[in-house]
Amino acid sequence: MLKKFNKSIKLSCLALSVLLCACSSDNAYRGMYDKEFTIPRAHVFIQAEDKEATIQKELELSKLSTYLDKVADDKAQRASALYTLAAVYDSLGLEATARTMLVSALMLRPDFADAYNLLGFFLSLEGRYLEAVDAFDQALELGSKWAYINRGVSLIYAGKDDMAIRDLKQFYEFDKNDPYRIIWLYIAEKNALGKSKAHELMAKRYSSCTSDKGAFANSVIELYLGLIDENEYMQRVRNAVTVGKGNASEILCDAYYYLSRLKLDEGYAAEAYDYLKLTQATKRYDFLEYRLAAVDLKKVKDMLGFKTRTGLTQSSS
């Protein structure tokens, strides 16, 4: 699934402070949350932290650090290990450390396409789009196909949708059965060509897509096309999370982020705010959707004045 910037890396305020409360199929929305969200209570899932996954990543860091000592004289292997360390640190939310590892990897190996991809990802999140595009250009010159999606998404956020379409079309051509490629191409086309034309193009691509129709990403496409409504969409989310069809935090990260985009398009900024905060509650730091949610939140806060929302008053701090 297309959820990462690179193949090898890739609630309102009070409610979010209770992240250690595990979600279940019937108690995802409790007590105080009733006052804090503008979205339906049945749509809120707050998952407990996956401590086992964190422990595994910490063990991986230890092994990689030991490995670095063993390959001190081999620049290529050391650069590869530093890049992997950067990816692991990034997945733990330690972005500053990840950047340090990336810079070190590129100093050892200036032709490291994956490292340029991740560097461009960090730059784009800071709004340094021209520098990000330069990094993705380097990755493309070094043969990285994944740089097309990276550069395409950055161009969308830079307001260069026509340019983004070219990159995202190329990336779609590499695998026409990947729903995420269809989704991102639709997002760029909707901005550039209008919703009606973008719907027409996405419907055509989806009809020829042979991916597993039970895959969750297809639910995003069907929601955007109006084939299912929000309640059906969230019921599918609930089913996927509770019956174990994949990692729950991954599903929730995707589900909330793409729903927030729809709410923004429809003009429901307060609901988009809630879904973006829920995206961040998944703590999937290494996911494209998680990182973009932080960027979108800044825009939504400006739209809302970050003072009042439907049914909720916030402090300006």
Side-chain angles (χ1 to χ4, degrees):
M1 297 196 306
L2 180 61
K3 296 175 293 187
K4 306 174 184 178
F5 264 77
N6 187 279
K7 200 182 337 184
S8 56
I9 320 203
K10 185 70 271 114
L11 259 148
S12 275
C13 299
L14 181 59
L16 269 179
S17 67
V18 202
L19 287 177
L20 293 180
C21 175
C23 75
S24 69
S25 61
D26 59 356
N27 68 353
Y29 193 98
R30 304 180 181 184
M32 70 176 120
Y33 303 155
D34 289 312
K35 305 172 190 173
E36 300 302 327
F37 285 100
T38 61
I39 59 178
R41 60 178 294 168
H43 295 183
V44 180
F45 296 83
I46 301 176
Q47 189 167 10
E49 182 180 359
D50 188 347
K51 295 182 179 180
E52 180 61 30
T54 301
I55 291 172
Q56 290 300 318
K57 289 176 182 178
E58 290 172 349
L59 289 173
E60 187 175 358
L61 289 176
S62 178
K63 291 177 182 178
L64 284 167
S65 298
T66 301
Y67 178 71
L68 272 176
D69 293 334
K70 294 181 180 179
V71 295
D73 298 325
D74 189 318
K75 287 187 177 181
Q77 291 187 32
R78 188 171 178 80
S80 182
L82 284 166
Y83 169 77
T84 305
L85 274 170
V88 177
Y89 277 119
D90 180 50
S91 72
L92 290 167
L94 301 172
E95 185 180 318
T97 305
R99 289 189 188 216
T100 300
M101 297 295 174
L102 266 188
V103 172
S104 298
L106 284 169
M107 289 178 66
L108 290 169
R109 185 182 160 191
D111 63 345
F112 203 162
D114 285 346
Y116 280 114
N117 264 324
L118 186 53
L119 179 61
F121 162 47
F122 287 139
L123 291 169
S124 65
L125 292 174
E126 291 182 351
R128 296 161 63 182
Y129 298 114
L130 290 177
E131 294 171 78
V133 168
D134 284 342
F136 296 138
D137 287 347
Q138 288 284 345
L140 283 169
E141 289 178 11
L142 293 167
S144 171
K145 292 182 178 180
W146 283 81
Y148 283 108
I149 176 66
N150 298 346
R151 191 171 67 179
V153 172
S154 291
L155 287 168
I156 288 175
Y157 275 79
K160 307 292 185 182
D161 296 290
D162 289 332
M163 297 172 65
I165 288 172
R166 291 199 294 269
D167 278 351
L168 295 169
K169 273 186 177 177
Q170 181 61 67
F171 194 63
Y172 166 72
E173 290 296 326
F174 294 142
D175 183 359
K176 295 183 179 181
N177 294 316
D178 181 350
Y180 287 96
R181 300 177 195 229
I182 296 174
I183 292 167
W184 278 104
L185 182 50
Y186 162 76
I187 290 170
E189 289 177 335
K190 176 179 58 65
N191 294 341
L193 307 176
K195 187 174 181 179
S196 178
K197 182 62 176 177
H199 267 215
E200 177 187 335
L201 292 169
M202 182 164 67
K204 183 177 180 180
R205 294 181 186 117
Y206 186 52
S207 67
S208 62
C209 176
T210 60
S211 69
D212 176 12
K213 294 303 181 183
F216 180 74
N218 291 308
S219 294
V220 177
I221 295 176
E222 291 175 11
L223 177 70
Y224 282 10
L225 288 174
L227 301 177
I228 60 173
D229 62 17
E230 183 180 342
N231 288 329
E232 171 62 21
Y233 176 79
M234 289 307 302
Q235 184 58 50
R236 292 186 186 184
V237 174
R238 178 183 291 272
N239 292 342
V241 169
T242 56
V243 303
K245 292 182 180 178
N247 185 291
S249 63
E250 293 180 9
I251 293 168
L252 292 173
C253 186
D254 280 1
Y256 287 134
Y257 174 75
Y258 290 110
L259 183 52
S260 76
R261 292 199 67 98
L262 180 65
K263 289 300 178 182
L264 277 176
D265 288 344
E266 294 175 342
Y268 298 113
E271 293 183 24
Y273 177 91
D274 285 340
Y275 286 126
L276 287 168
K277 294 299 282 185
L278 284 166
T279 303
Q280 292 202 309
T282 65
K283 294 188 176 182
R284 295 300 311 208
Y285 302 106
D286 53 341
F287 270 44
L288 166 67
E289 291 82 0
Y290 176 91
R291 296 307 187 110
L292 293 179
V295 178
D296 290 344
L297 266 173
K298 294 178 183 178
K299 178 173 68 175
V300 174
K301 285 179 180 179
D302 288 340
M303 293 170 64
L304 294 172
F306 206 51
K307 291 182 180 180
T308 60
R309 298 162 43 201
T310 304
L312 174 64
T313 300
Q314 294 179 293
S315 67
S316 57
S317 58

